[in-house]
């Protein structure tokens, strides 16, 4: 009688060995869905972290996550750089882009003035990494070898000063440049001296505008040492004799 009871108890005990491959299959399915979710996200860095974690878990054979990143290598490196930036750096970069756009708006306003007054041969604007550069060409303010602004050109200088009225005010650098023809007269002993005085005299006209703050202005002289064209030709020397106004990006 005891033998029959024992045999009946063994029959009731089911074989559960099938649960092991079933559990592995469920784990792989879960991993697959995690991968699909990671691929749908633009955060490629997190995708790589998930991939490494699961590949280290499922060792042996080819892992389900062993394939290239969903983003190109160049984009991946860019994302890594962005992830390394601090919140302060992100805010600074965003502010820089906003200010660059504002400088572009100022440039458009100045270009409209230049076009409406047919000054294309006298004024030019360039948006650079340093800021917005206004170049005054062809010695339109000065006689040869002189640093005083001609009376007939003072009105144009005053109109340019109106274009520099901005909110908020930005720092402005006025610089003078010459060609490489030596100068040595009773007023100026070098091209460097001449370029400095041209920048200063032009700046004086600008800050006569009561809407401009003199504290944001500064003057520089580069003499012949920052040419934009060859001094071997008359046209090149004419381009090098210039005054430039650099509007710097606003910094809070």
């Amino acid at each position: 009688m005891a033998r029959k009871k024992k045999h009946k108890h063994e029959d009731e005990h089911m074989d559960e060995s099938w649960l092991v491959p079933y559990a592995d299959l469920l784990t792989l399915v879960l991993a697959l869905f995690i991968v699909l979710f990671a691929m749908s996200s633009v955060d490629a860095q997190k995708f790589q972290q998930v991939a490494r974690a699961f590949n280290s878990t499922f060792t042996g054979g080819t892992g389900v996550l062993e394939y290239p990143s969903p983003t190109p290598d160049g984009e991946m490196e860019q994302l890594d750089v962005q992830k390394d930036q601090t919140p302060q750096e992100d805010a600074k970069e965003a502010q820089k882009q906003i200010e660059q756009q504002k400088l572009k708006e100022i440039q458009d306003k100045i270009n409209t003035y230049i076009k409406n007054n047919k000054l294309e041969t006298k004024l030019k604007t360039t948006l650079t990494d340093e800021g917005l550069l206004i170049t005054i060409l062809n010695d339109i303010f000065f006689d040869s070898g002189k640093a005083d602004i001609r009376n007939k050109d003072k009105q144009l200088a005053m109109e340019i000063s109106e274009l520099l009225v901005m909110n908020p005010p930005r720092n402005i650098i006025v610089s003078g440049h010459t060609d490489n023809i030596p100068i040595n007269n009773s007023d100026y002993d070098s091209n460097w001296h001449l370029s400095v005085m041209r920048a200063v005299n032009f700046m004086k006209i600008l800050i006569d505008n009561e809407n401009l703050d003199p504290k944001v202005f500064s003057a520089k002289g580069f003499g012949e040492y920052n040419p934009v064209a060859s001094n071997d030709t008359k046209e090149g020397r004419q381009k090098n004799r210039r005054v430039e106004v650099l509007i710097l990006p606003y910094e809070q």
Side-chain angles (χ1 to χ4, degrees), residues 22-248:
Y22 180 73
D24 290 341
L25 179 60
L26 288 180
T27 305
L28 288 174
V29 171
L30 175 62
L32 176 60
F33 278 103
I34 293 175
V35 171
L36 293 175
F37 175 79
M39 290 175 64
S40 67
S41 173
V42 296
D43 195 337
Q45 186 178 24
K46 288 184 179 179
F47 173 83
Q48 291 295 330
Q49 292 174 350
V50 171
R52 285 193 294 269
F54 276 94
N55 278 331
S56 63
T57 301
F58 300 110
T59 57
T62 302
V64 67
L65 297 176
E66 292 179 358
Y67 49 80
S69 167
T71 60
D73 293 340
E75 294 182 10
M76 185 65 198
E77 292 177 0
Q78 184 177 6
L79 287 172
D80 288 340
V81 171
Q82 293 175 349
K83 290 296 181 181
D84 291 338
Q85 291 181 340
T86 64
Q88 292 81 1
E89 291 172 336
D90 290 339
K92 186 176 181 180
E93 181 64 25
Q95 179 61 35
K96 180 180 177 180
Q97 294 178 2
I98 293 173
E99 180 59 19
Q100 195 76 355
Q101 179 59 38
K102 290 182 178 179
L103 288 177
K104 180 64 171 62
E105 294 173 2
I106 296 172
Q107 181 187 30
D108 292 341
K109 181 182 74 171
I110 296 175
N111 285 343
T112 299
Y113 167 82
I114 293 173
K115 182 178 180 181
N116 291 342
N117 291 275
K118 297 179 174 57
L119 296 172
E120 290 87 352
T121 60
K122 297 180 179 180
L123 300 178
K124 181 181 71 173
T125 66
T126 309
L127 193 58
T128 70
D129 291 337
E130 291 184 283
L132 176 57
L133 184 67
I134 305 172
T135 303
I136 302 164
L137 304 164
N138 298 342
D139 289 340
I140 64 173
F141 287 136
F142 310 99
D143 290 323
S144 179
K146 301 293 184 181
D148 295 326
I149 295 180
R150 297 184 296 237
N151 288 331
K152 65 178 182 178
D153 295 320
K154 287 184 178 180
Q155 179 60 36
L156 176 58
M158 294 171 61
E159 292 177 6
I160 293 175
S161 75
E162 291 294 335
L163 298 173
L164 301 179
V165 177
M166 295 166 284
N167 186 24
R170 293 162 174 82
N171 290 326
I172 296 174
I173 301 174
V174 181
S175 60
H177 305 265
T178 70
D179 58 29
N180 67 345
I181 303 300
I183 183 173
N184 188 358
N185 56 32
S186 58
D187 295 321
Y188 312 106
D189 56 12
S190 65
N191 282 325
W192 180 86
H193 187 190
L194 175 63
S195 67
V196 170
M197 294 312 301
R198 283 184 170 181
V200 169
N201 289 338
F202 180 61
M203 185 180 68
K204 286 181 180 178
I205 299 293
L206 297 179
I207 61 179
D208 279 343
N209 188 335
E210 60 183 11
N211 294 318
L212 294 175
D213 185 356
K215 291 186 295 185
V216 303
F217 282 83
S218 60
K220 291 182 178 181
F222 289 90
E224 63 198 71
Y225 302 109
N226 194 13
V228 294
S230 172
N231 281 302
D232 295 333
T233 65
K234 178 180 178 181
E235 292 76 14
R237 290 191 295 271
Q238 190 176 46
K239 291 180 179 179
N240 290 332
R241 297 192 299 266
R242 69 197 189 279
V243 173
E244 294 178 337
V245 178
L246 179 62
I247 304 173
L248 299 178

